[in-house]
Amino acid sequence: MPLARIDLLRGKSAEYRKALGEIVYQAMLDIINVPKDDKFQVITEHAPAEMNFAEGYLGNRYSQDIIFIQITLNAGRSVELKKAFYKRIVDDIVAQLNARPDDVVINLVEVAKENWSFGGGIAQYADLMRRLIAAAFTSAQ
């Protein structure tokens, strides 16, 4: 269950924000193997005074169209897969929304599966993993 938080400066249309979310979701489906309908996103616009960033970092130059994308997801994907994921998101944002590549900042936060509750106060993944381990142990005997 990735949880995507997308932050940008106020002023983009609802269509732009929706397209941005869809680009991130489609890359999750196609590149990092997220299941269909595993879509949880918060897209937030901010006043200029609410976003504080340098003019540049590591050779990138930022504009007022900067987009911060932070995705919390289960740990375990390879560096190569992450690189392909970053590239896909940036390529699609540039192609579909006419953004500058430098203005797309992506951060992944990896967590263990037991750190999720999909509702009801239940750690669904933790319970699922416990059942799978118990089943494997039982069948091995």
Side-chain angles (χ1 to χ4, degrees):
M1 177 217 167
L3 171 60
R5 294 188 169 278
I6 303 170
D7 294 276
L8 61 160
L9 286 170
R10 189 169 293 133
K12 299 297 185 190
S13 69
E15 294 80 19
Y16 181 98
R17 294 188 310 271
K18 180 165 179 56
L20 187 55
E22 290 304 314
I23 288 167
V24 172
Y25 175 61
Q26 195 61 49
M28 288 191 297
L29 289 173
D30 295 346
I31 306 297
I32 60 171
N33 306 314
V34 170
K36 185 178 181 308
D37 296 328
D38 194 350
K39 182 180 183 183
F40 299 88
Q41 299 179 334
V42 178
I43 302 172
T44 307
E45 287 189 302
H46 301 273
E50 295 173 343
M51 289 185 64
N52 189 3
F53 54 92
E55 289 182 16
Y57 185 65
L58 296 176
N60 294 296
R61 305 303 302 166
Y62 305 119
S63 77
Q64 292 300 305
D65 287 325
I66 196 165
I67 302 165
F68 294 120
I69 300 170
Q70 183 175 60
I71 302 169
T72 303
L73 70 168
N74 291 332
R77 291 169 177 88
S78 71
V79 172
E80 292 76 24
L81 202 60
K82 292 173 190 177
K83 287 179 179 181
F85 181 59
Y86 302 148
K87 182 168 177 15
R88 169 68 180 274
I89 290 173
V90 171
D91 287 350
D92 287 356
I93 289 173
V94 168
Q96 295 177 38
L97 299 176
N98 201 30
R100 297 173 57 253
D102 280 6
D103 281 335
V104 183
V105 177
I106 303 169
N107 168 243
L108 300 181
V109 179
E110 295 184 300
V111 300
K113 288 186 175 187
E114 67 269 11
N115 291 333
W116 296 103
S117 173
F118 296 96
I122 301 166
Q124 287 90 347
Y125 279 158
D127 294 343
L128 175 64
M129 293 306 292
R130 193 171 324 134
R131 287 193 303 270
L132 290 173
I133 291 168
F137 179 74
T138 301
S139 67
Q141 291 182 348

